[in-house]
Each structure stands twice: as structure tokens, then as C-alpha cells.
Amino acid sequence: MRFAVTELPEEGRNASEVLEDLAAAKVDDRDWRGGRVFSLVYSAGDAVHDLHGEALRLYSAENGLNVLAFPSIGRLSHDLVGWTSSLLGGDETGATGYLTSGGTESLLQAVKVARDAGRARGINRPRIVAARSAHAAFTKAAELFDVELVRVDVDDRFRIDLEQAAAAIDASTIMLIGSAPSYPHGVIDPISELGQLALDHGLLLHVDACLGGLLLPWLVEAGHVNVPFDLTVPGVTSISADLHKYGYASKGVSVILYNDADLARHQLFVTSDWMGGFYASTVMAGTRPAGPVAAAWATMQHLGRTGYRRLAEETWVAARRLIDGVGTIDGLRVLGDPDMTVLTIAADDGRGIDVFAVADRLAEVGGWYLDRQTDPDALHLTVHAGSAAAVEPFLEDLATVVAGIGDERSSDRSAPYATDR
Ligand SMILES: Cc1ncc(COP(=O)(O)O)c(C=O)c1O
């Protein structure tokens, strides 16, 4: 069976021709540069994307597996973990941590570490309690590492139901999960209360701040958010924060931090049980790209605190305008009173329009791209600094489309996560 789209040539081709083909290959890709893609891409502007490109080029061949051979990668990683830790209260708590390849890997590591900590306590198949809104990566982790994931419901504001979480704890339970914020509704779970529950039962508590970790500190500083979520909350044992989301870094960099060095040690893999000598690694991969590490370092240095404050303010203002604007459109509502800059739009029960049909129309009229989610059917918007200029045109298109949608139904009811073939 043939899977390839393009032939592998017998003779190699000219580099500039190949690059032209690559540029042309993007023809059907979503055009995110104008802010019309409310998903998957975080943009702090063209200058930052150009910087990514340069930094990736400088480190395209080096291998992050061995920081003895490439000590600069070790130093860059150390800086990234240290800066993130400072933003999340780690200086106060003495946190320690690692870089990973992204949010999913940080969550995989959190679960693997919890499993190993549970086994060290004699629990063969540890149990983890998370809300139904916690990221899908927790389910992936549970499958990969053979832990039992118990998902409990959310309350009417889409935050974890604390009574159900408490009731789900049993003798095998090792860890609770809180999100700051959750992906589906952009709301922050009650981390202080979860911390108390964890302390009462001697459990670990991981805060998934993959989405909020690089934005919430600035929103808290500006007085826009006052929900405690970081490493200083009593009971929190670890936290994850993605640099490739609101850190505006190039893809492939997240940070996981632990308040307890003994816990962190479970993430370290060391062996000499083969013929290749001593082998150590702190992540899932062996060979690791160094480019994303360099690009993240360059981005954080380039933006600095002032840059992040400015981007956070722009993003906050854009998100509030969107939330207010959606609220004025008859037939729509925003779910759950979002705490940050991620929001979800559902149909108002009264009119019962199909929001997926709205998304189809928005794509046609303006090239808008929004993720689709279910339970209830809703459209998901991640607002970032690059979205700001698109807010007013989006609200105009949204109002027009909703006014004319009638009882149209969409045939596309799935979130589009594809395979390589
Ligand atoms: C709250 C949360 N956790 C984890 C992840 C997974 O991150 P990644 O896609 O970088 O693996 C996401 C992604 O959107 C997220 O929003």
C-alpha cells in the first residue's frame, strides 16, 4: 500500500526548489497570522516568530540528550526552568523541575511520578482523581502507565465538584488534579480547597497550569485575577506550565516543577543495564531537539517582564471584549464565567441553534477557525495577543451569522485531531 503523497526522488533536488515546495505545501493550512485561528497557535507578533526561526536554525543539529557535550543547552534549560519557577512561586517553596516537550509530556510525567510514588508506598495500581474537564492527556497517561483515573463531575460553573472529588478518594488514591485553567472552559479549579483535601488525605496535588502558567502570574500582578493556583498554595506538590502557549515560545517546550525534590527524583531515568554504558534522561524522548529550548530562551529574553505584562494586558482586554460581545448576541452564551482568556460559546437554550453550523459559516465568511467541543456542543476560543486585532471583525461576523443561521445543522461534529496517514 502506498501512503506517501510525494515521491522520494532518486536524485536529490535543489535546496531552493525544495523550500519553494514546502512553502507551497501550506496552501490548505489555516492562515493564523491575522488572528483568525482561535486555537493551536499563540502569537506575539512577526518579530517573535522571526526570532524563533533564527534560534531554531542556530541549534538545529545539537542534541539535548547530552548536556555534557552541549553544556549551553543545559544552561538554557536551567534558565527556563528557573524563570518559570520564580513566576509560579517556586523561589518561596524551593521547587525543582525539568523541561519537557509540551503540556502532554508534562502531564505524562506528573502521572508517572505519582505512580512511582504510589508504588513506593506499596500501592500497586494507584488511583488519580481529576475532573471531567481535566485535559485528555491525563487519560493518555493513565493508559500508558497503568494507573486508575477516576473522573468526577464539574459544578454548575464547570469547576471540579469538590464533594465528588472527596468521595472518590480511597486507600489506593495517590494524587488529585486541578486545572489552572481547564482547557474546555477556561476556568480555574478551586486549588486551595483541593490543596486542603490533599493535605487531609496525605495525597499529591498536581496543578495543570499548562495553559495559564505563563499568563496568570501577570494577570494576578495586574489585579485581574485573584484565584490562588501556584506552588505556594498549601498542598500543591507539582505544577506544569507550557512555554509554547502563553510564553509565546516556539513549539516543543513545557516546564514541570515539584515542591519536593524526592518526588522530582522519580522523573529521572538512569540505567547502565545495556551494552552502551551509563544512560540518563529526564524526559520521554532520548535524542531531544535543542532548537525549541534555544527559541524559548531567546523569546523570554526578548520579551522580558515588560513584554509579557503588555501581551497579558492586550490579551485580557481582547478576551473581556469577546466575552462581553458574545453576551449581547441573541442565541449564544459563554459557559462557566471564564477566569482567564479562554472561552467557550454555546447555544442559548431558548433558540437552540447549532453552534457547529455557526462555525461552518464563520469559516466560509471570514476564514475563522474555532475548535469544536461537546457536552454541551460548544465552540472554543483561545485568545492570545495575536487575536486582539481580530476581535471586532469576529464579533461582527458572529452576529451576522447567528442572525441568519435559522435551524441549519452542521454535519461536522468532531474536533479535528488527525493521524499521520
Ligand atoms: C490545560 C491543558 N493541559 C494540557 C495541554 C496539553 O498541551 P500540549 O498540547 O502542549 O501537549 C493543554 C493543551 O491545550 C491544555 O490546555
Side-chain angles (χ1 to χ4, degrees), residues 129-134 150-154 159-161 177 189:
V129 177
R132 285 171 55 223
S133 54
V150 181
R151 287 206 181 250
V152 299
D153 223 327
V154 292
R159 280 120 180 127
I160 191 168
D161 183 316
I177 306 293
D189 283 326

Side-chain angles (χ1 to χ4, degrees), residues 388-413:
V391 167
E392 296 305 331
F394 175 75
L395 285 172
E396 275 171 37
D397 281 356
L398 183 64
T400 310
V401 164
V402 170
I405 201 74
D407 56 7
E408 207 172 294
R409 308 283 302 165
S410 171
S411 55
D412 179 2
R413 316 207 68 77

